[in-house]
Structure formats: structure tokens, C-alpha cells
Amino acid sequence: MTMYVWDYLPEYEAEREDILDAVRKVFASGKLVLGDSVAGFEREFAAYHGLAHAVGVDNGTNAVKLALESIGVGRGDEVITVSNTAAPTVIAIDNTGAAPVFVDVRDEDYLMDTSLVEAAITERTKAILPVHLYGQCVDMEPLRRLARKHELKIVEDCAQAHGARHHGELAGTMGDVAAFSFYPTKVLGAYGDGGAVITADDASEQALRRLRYYGMEKVYYVVGTPGHNSRLDEVQAEILRRKLTRLDRYVKGRREIARRYVDGLGDLCGPGGLELPSVTGGNSHVYYVYVVRHPRRDEIIRVLRERYDISLNISYPWPVHTMSGFAHLDVPIGSLPVTESLAGQIFSLPMYPSLSEARQDKVINALREVL
């Protein structure tokens, strides 16, 4: 049987009764849309982060979009972000009418190079959108200084960083608003789509609640500023409430798997060889994906698939600025050299809390043979 980088079935087997009980509870509640489960998850997710507000939405892409709109980002504005990210980050910016402006990433950890941000600021810049990629946080203090200096907002993309910390601060608590995805593969994953935005700001929270519900406020059918249909589903919310109590345990499991990769593959690292994830100073990594790097990436992936029936992912093979759907941004190839170099060398090893030692050993041993 083919081995993939993610598999939810072992976790489902272990948690099935709780998951099915969550479904039964919602179906028996008498309310299927914006009921007690969504409200309860919002309270508990906000409390986990020590913030006043969490607003559940339908997916992570709309979490980013609504977060931007809640702080006033719109047509004619610019938002500074990175191209080494999942396309939904940039799609969300584009869908607000704003223009994404890219800066390169750092070679050592693949995260936003904050030293390049100030040069990208123009009179149209409205926000900075750092992506806490692969499970660890961007260096936030330089961004907070720039935001204060230039009167900008910070929107954190935390889709891959549930529970990650930066100098002790949780991902999502270091900017003005923060967007999360609960897509099933995530560190905190639902059994379908889901997302949330967290904030300490009352005005942003009120805007988010209007935006996710057509733009309506208090009275059904009365629309102020037109919004969206972006509500978090009650069933997913109830499942997330249960899984939130296990989030720290999931993170602990991911870190143990990461440690075993270091033990099993660390001696293969060196100049021109395999590179394992680098944890930036001050970061507490949650290993949403375990991204490694090798100049013979494509050959390695092919041999692992053909010889060992191991199918690995690449996060991400095509930087967003190179995609035809973003040709209108007119970002020249070669302008983001680190991002473009990474795209040809990085790939992800299996990573999920219920990954067995035997299956992880299969990957480690296969890589050792190939390398």
C-alpha cells in the first residue's frame, strides 16, 4: 500500500467515538447553523490564545480575506507577503482587490526575510502579511517596528502554525488580526473545511461577524456593507472543540517524530547533501510539514515512489509569482532568487501525530539507501 505524507485514518480510529459523538450532538441540537458549537469553539479558541475574540469562518482562504477586509484592506491597496506559500494566501489578497507585493524568504528557514520589507513599502501599502510557514513563526519584532513606524497593520497567516510560539508568544497573537485554517491536514484539523480569525480588537471582531454573514448586522435580510457567506459549520466546530483539547498533545507527537528524523537522518546532512528543518532562534516549531532539502530532489522522489511505494509532497514546487494566474502582477522571474531556488529542492517527509515508528522507519531507511 502506498505510503503518503499524511493519513487521517489512524487518528480517526483512535478518536472515532468522540468524533461521532460530536456529530450526534449537533444533529440533536435543533440548530445547524451558527449555534452553540460555533459559539463555544470561538470562546475556547480565543481563550487558548489569550485574546478577546475568535470568529469562525468556512475555510482558511476566507479567513485571510476577511481578516484583511476587517482592517480596511481593499482595492488600490498593497499587502506585502511572500511567494513561498500556498496560493490561497495570495488569492485572498487578490480577492480583496488589493495587490500582493512579494519579498524573498531566508535561505536558512524559508520564512519571510524581514530585512527586505521596508524597501517594499510604498504610499499604497496597507498591511504586512507574514506567513508562519511549515510550523514556525516569522521573526515578528522587526515587522512590528515597521508597522508602528509606517502606520501599517499586520495580518498573520497561521494556517500552518497552530500552537507554535515565537519567544513565548503564540502564533496569531503578535499582529492585529490572524487567520487560521482547519483543513484536515492541519495541526488542528477538522473533518472538512473550516477557518477562524482571532483578534484583540473589538472593531475588527464586529466587522468580521458582519463580513462572514452577508454584511448583515442584528436583523436578518438587512445588509449594510455587502459581505460574504463564510460561516463555520456547526459540525466542524463541535469536532474542533474536542480536538482543541488535544492540540498540545498533537504538537508533542509531531515534535517526537521530528526528533526521530534527526536521529535517523542527521548524519546524512552536510554541504551538497540533505538539509533538515532549521529551527530559528526563539521559535517553538510544531512541524505542520517536515520540509527537507536536497539538490537531487526530483530523482529522490521518483526512486522512493518507484522502488519503495512512498509518495512524497513538495511544499511548494511553483512559487506563486511564477503561476500563470498571477501573471498580471508582472513579477519577473529571478526577482526572488531564494524562493525560486527552494522550489527546485524542497520536499516533505511524512508528518502526522499518529505516524507509527515502523512507517517512519520505512521512510528513514529508504532515504538512507537512496542517498
Side-chain angles (χ1 to χ4, degrees), residues 292-304 312-318 340-348 370-371:
V292 301
R293 183 178 182 181
H294 198 284
R296 294 191 291 115
R297 187 269 310 280
D298 293 344
E299 175 193 350
I300 293 167
I301 288 180
R302 177 182 58 78
V303 173
L304 287 174
L312 300 183
N313 283 359
I314 303 171
S315 300
Y316 300 94
W318 301 286
E340 293 168 25
S341 174
L342 291 175
Q345 298 183 2
I346 55 177
F347 60 108
S348 303
V370 171
L371 296 177

Side-chain angles (χ1 to χ4, degrees), residues 342-362:
L342 291 175
Q345 298 183 2
I346 55 177
F347 60 108
S348 303
L349 305 185
M351 173 58 76
Y352 49 95
S354 53
L355 177 67
S356 69
E357 289 189 4
R359 291 177 74 79
Q360 188 179 11
D361 286 342
K362 177 181 178 179

Side-chain angles (χ1 to χ4, degrees), residues 39-249:
F41 175 69
E42 289 175 339
R43 287 193 305 271
E44 291 151 16
F45 197 61
Y48 179 88
H49 291 89
L51 294 180
H53 308 296
V55 178
V57 298
D58 55 343
N59 57 63
T61 308
N62 281 337
V64 176
K65 179 182 177 182
L66 270 62
L68 289 165
E69 292 182 341
S70 76
I71 59 169
V73 171
R75 191 165 305 280
D77 295 327
E78 292 178 348
V79 177
I80 298 172
T81 192
V82 294
S83 182
N84 182 41
T85 184
T89 303
V90 184
I91 290 170
I93 297 170
D94 192 70
N95 283 347
T96 68
V101 174
F102 299 119
V103 296
D104 212 348
V105 296
R106 305 195 303 188
D107 192 64
E108 63 268 28
D109 58 13
Y110 319 152
L111 299 171
M112 174 183 276
D113 188 338
T114 59
S115 70
L116 303 176
V117 171
E118 187 160 30
I121 295 173
T122 73
E123 61 182 14
R124 294 173 57 194
T125 304
K126 191 69 170 282
I128 305 170
L129 201 164
V131 181
H132 299 317
L133 198 67
Y134 303 149
Q136 67 175 331
C137 298
V138 172
D139 186 7
M140 291 298 293
E141 189 50 40
L143 297 185
R144 291 195 278 199
R145 288 197 299 267
L146 287 175
R148 289 192 295 267
K149 177 180 177 181
H150 296 277
E151 298 183 338
L152 304 175
K153 297 290 188 178
I154 295 177
V155 178
E156 296 176 72
D157 184 339
C158 302
Q160 302 187 8
H162 310 73
R165 290 181 182 270
H166 182 63
H167 294 293
E169 295 182 85
L170 275 168
T173 66
M174 297 175 280
D176 296 282
V177 286
F180 289 82
S181 168
F182 304 123
Y183 188 74
T185 62
K186 304 302 185 185
V187 179
L188 178 61
Y191 279 67
D193 268 318
V197 184
I198 63 174
T199 183
D201 182 68
D202 294 346
S204 292
E205 182 253 354
Q206 292 165 13
L208 286 162
R209 295 197 182 280
R210 291 192 299 270
L211 287 164
R212 74 163 178 191
Y213 195 53
Y214 309 112
M216 296 177 184
E217 186 173 8
K218 296 182 181 178
V219 181
Y220 190 59
Y221 293 128
V222 177
V223 174
T225 301
H228 313 279
N229 179 8
S230 299
R231 300 167 298 216
L232 177 61
D233 178 73
E234 273 287 290
V235 171
Q236 301 303 338
E238 186 59 34
I239 291 172
L240 288 165
R241 292 183 77 178
R242 314 294 180 94
K243 295 189 72 176
L244 180 60
T245 67
R246 299 188 282 271
L247 175 55
D248 292 341
R249 191 177 83 201

